[in-house]
Amino acid sequence: MDYKFSQESFEKTSTDIAFVVVFAREGDQRATPVLRKADGGEILDKALNSQLSRTLKDQEFKGKEGEILFVNTLGKIGPKNIAVIGLGLQK
């Protein structure tokens, strides 16, 4: 299996999976994490018509350290799947 780290636009990248990292929300561990522009999550979510953020909420994903959620993009963008990886509280 080959791995490639890239900052290419996801529209131009054909890959099996893209990774997005999120932090748990400070003060409210029950809240869904925010997809940030700096991490690429906000841009991916917009391209998927908010499918990513809706899935995080529906699956009660909290961004806890080590928590992972896989989301199929249904061919809407280059990557076939997105792995959202929780990093816990930002330090």
Side-chain angles (χ1 to χ4, degrees):
M1 183 179 302
D2 293 330
Y3 295 95
K4 176 184 173 188
F5 291 92
S6 173
Q7 292 184 334
E8 287 180 349
S9 170
F10 60 86
E11 294 101 337
K12 297 177 183 178
T13 302
S14 178
T15 185
D16 290 330
I17 194 163
F19 296 91
V20 174
V21 296
V22 296
F23 292 100
R25 300 271 298 268
E26 186 80 37
D28 187 355
Q29 294 297 310
R30 295 171 295 155
T32 302
V34 175
L35 295 166
R36 301 183 319 179
K37 185 175 184 177
D39 301 328
E42 181 181 288
I43 296 166
L44 284 170
D45 194 38
K46 185 175 180 181
L48 294 169
N49 298 317
S50 301
Q51 173 192 348
L52 191 53
S53 57
R54 282 193 309 268
T55 302
L56 292 177
K57 185 175 181 178
D58 291 346
Q59 296 296 316
E60 298 181 2
F61 186 87
K62 304 300 178 212
K64 295 176 185 174
E65 186 175 343
E67 187 177 19
I68 301 174
L69 180 67
F70 294 95
V71 180
N72 188 291
T73 65
L74 303 173
K76 294 181 181 178
I77 59 175
K80 295 176 186 174
N81 299 284
I82 298 171
V84 183
I85 302 170
L87 298 179
L89 294 174
Q90 189 170 11
K91 299 175 182 176

